[in-house]
Amino acid sequence: MDLDLTAEDLAFRDEVRAFLDAELTPELREAGRLTTSVFCDPKHTLPWQRILNARGWAAPSWPREYGGPGWTEMQRYIFAAECARAGAPPLAPMGLRMVGPVLMAFGTAEQKAHYLPRILSGEDYWCQGYSEPGSGSDLASLQLRAESDGDHYVLSGSKIWTTHAQFANRMFCLVRTSSEGKPQAGITFLLLDMASPGITVQPIITLAGEHEVNQVFFDAVRAPKANRVGEENQGWTVAKHLLEFERGGGSAPGLYVALERARAIGEGAVSADHRRRLAEAEIAALAIDISERRVLSALASGKNPGPASSMLKINGTEAMQRIDELSIEAAGSYAAVDQPQAREPGANVEPVGPRHSLTAMPRYLNNRAASIYGGSNEIQRDIIARLVLGL
């Protein structure tokens, strides 16, 4: 891929910048600036998603036939980079980037017609039911039972680390429909209504002091078999397809923004060693940027990310963690002050210390999980060793 932007790409970049300048309100920019993880509360993201959807830009990777803009890979990259640069709040990925592409690949015509427009509009807000107590990185060992009962499955068990389950009205979920053969062979992919009787959501407060994740309990929950995606006991194939989109790609723009933030925190008050490590982090971000553009070239020719998504997941998450550490060091003692009220968009609470240090510690703590969720980085290294190196 030619890394230089064409005249058409430059014109598109200018169009995106003009749109962001016009539509991204100060309130939305503040919400983006104060977001400390890949998720921002829907009270901030859904208004932005509606603005984008009205322009046809809510789902950059979706084809036109399903309501997307039909952009090229480079246009998607430009859009992500400009949104990061402008400080737009990140849209929730569960619907737009995860279950949406899965439905396009494996869903029935009825499922696509019903769910895809509701994902675009934000009417359906999704969470992901994958991890369980004792079944995190070893996802194939999951035990949430789904017993067949006529036209329904009856679910009993629990899911954990379920991000934004407290907001979601829908869940895409992996359940066990058979215990015969290999563990992967007995898993089924289901779409669930979070208002179903028997579903209970209990909050888990993170190290950052935020309610982002939950444990979800299922007590004889009835789920229509019509909400199954793919065939019974073939959910592992569906899940692997989804994980390719969850694991890698598009992290370089966020790394560049994080680098700028780290430099601003430590401006004029850091050591030569700190500046050297900032330079090393910038080199790492540039290498990831180039690798992502190589993957864009492969995607443009119709290929899936494949094992490259594992490589980008490893490098992107670990690079972000290194930048977070530099921000913490630069913030010094101010990083230790816990002040969640001052981080709430629109709050009239004055922060203790410089405002640009306000989110350093929560970002650091939140991003410790990035090398675990979506398949731990150790698992990603195993995937690369097996599929790329043949070990």
Side-chain angles (χ1 to χ4, degrees), residues 3 15-16 33 52 69 72 77 121 123 125 137 153 177 183-184 208 214 244 265 293 305 313 341 360 371 373-374:
L3 299 185
E15 180 186 0
V16 171
R33 180 177 60 81
L52 289 170
T72 66
Y77 179 86
S121 68
E123 185 175 355
Y125 192 87
S137 294
Y153 294 110
T177 44
Q184 293 90 337
N214 307 269
E244 288 187 359
I265 292 173
R293 295 193 189 204
K313 202 267 184 179
Q341 292 83 7
S371 48
Y373 60 62

Side-chain angles (χ1 to χ4, degrees), residues 182-204:
K182 294 174 61 177
Q184 293 90 337
I187 293 173
T188 298
F189 193 104
L190 283 180
L191 309 178
L192 304 178
D193 184 344
M194 290 294 286
S196 301
I199 293 180
T200 303
V201 178
Q202 291 190 358
I204 298 174

Side-chain angles (χ1 to χ4, degrees), residues 149-234:
D149 183 16
D151 293 333
H152 288 75
Y153 294 110
V154 181
L155 278 58
S156 299
S158 73
K159 295 291 181 180
I160 202 166
W161 314 125
T162 313
T163 305
H164 278 195
Q166 74 270 32
F167 300 124
N169 66 326
R170 301 287 175 186
M171 173 190 282
F172 57 92
C173 187
L174 293 181
V175 299
R176 182 155 300 284
T177 44
S178 174
S179 298
E180 298 180 3
K182 294 174 61 177
Q184 293 90 337
I187 293 173
T188 298
F189 193 104
L190 283 180
L191 309 178
L192 304 178
D193 184 344
M194 290 294 286
S196 301
I199 293 180
T200 303
V201 178
Q202 291 190 358
I204 298 174
I205 305 303
T206 67
L207 282 173
E210 297 172 342
H211 178 196
E212 183 173 295
V213 294
N214 307 269
Q215 185 166 5
V216 183
F217 295 89
F218 301 84
D219 182 11
V221 175
R222 298 183 65 83
K225 289 184 178 179
N227 287 355
R228 184 182 67 219
V229 179
E231 297 300 319
E232 185 173 281
N233 299 325
Q234 297 300 310

Side-chain angles (χ1 to χ4, degrees), residues 6-16:
T6 66
E8 292 78 9
D9 290 332
L10 290 171
F12 175 75
R13 185 194 64 185
D14 292 343
E15 180 186 0
V16 171

Side-chain angles (χ1 to χ4, degrees), residues 94-303:
M94 298 300 192
L96 294 167
R97 290 172 47 195
M98 296 184 191
V99 75
V102 160
L103 288 170
M104 293 176 205
F106 296 96
T108 65
E110 292 78 10
Q111 288 170 340
K112 295 174 187 178
H114 178 75
Y115 288 112
L116 294 180
R118 294 166 65 94
I119 291 172
L120 285 174
S121 68
E123 185 175 355
D124 280 346
Y125 192 87
W126 292 80
C127 61
Q128 179 187 50
Y130 273 28
S131 295
E132 297 181 8
S135 298
S137 294
D138 183 17
L139 184 59
S141 67
L142 64 88
Q143 295 299 315
L144 173 60
R145 296 294 306 179
E147 302 288 350
S148 179
D149 183 16
D151 293 333
H152 288 75
Y153 294 110
V154 181
L155 278 58
S156 299
S158 73
K159 295 291 181 180
I160 202 166
W161 314 125
T162 313
T163 305
H164 278 195
Q166 74 270 32
F167 300 124
N169 66 326
R170 301 287 175 186
M171 173 190 282
F172 57 92
C173 187
L174 293 181
V175 299
R176 182 155 300 284
T177 44
S178 174
S179 298
E180 298 180 3
K182 294 174 61 177
Q184 293 90 337
I187 293 173
T188 298
F189 193 104
L190 283 180
L191 309 178
L192 304 178
D193 184 344
M194 290 294 286
S196 301
I199 293 180
T200 303
V201 178
Q202 291 190 358
I204 298 174
I205 305 303
T206 67
L207 282 173
E210 297 172 342
H211 178 196
E212 183 173 295
V213 294
N214 307 269
Q215 185 166 5
V216 183
F217 295 89
F218 301 84
D219 182 11
V221 175
R222 298 183 65 83
K225 289 184 178 179
N227 287 355
R228 184 182 67 219
V229 179
E231 297 300 319
E232 185 173 281
N233 299 325
Q234 297 300 310
W236 192 251
T237 299
V238 181
K240 287 193 298 182
H241 179 83
L242 183 147
L243 282 171
E244 288 187 359
F245 293 91
E246 180 181 4
R247 281 176 178 160
S251 63
L255 291 174
Y256 289 140
V257 171
L259 273 167
E260 291 180 10
R261 186 167 54 239
R263 287 196 180 97
I265 292 173
E267 187 175 8
V270 294
S271 66
D273 178 69
H274 188 92
R275 289 192 293 272
R276 174 186 60 78
R277 286 184 290 143
L278 275 172
E280 290 174 347
E282 183 174 7
I283 292 168
L286 178 60
I288 291 168
D289 193 355
I290 293 171
S291 295
E292 288 181 343
R293 295 193 189 204
R294 290 174 57 203
V295 171
L296 289 180
S297 181
L299 289 170
S301 63
K303 300 177 183 177

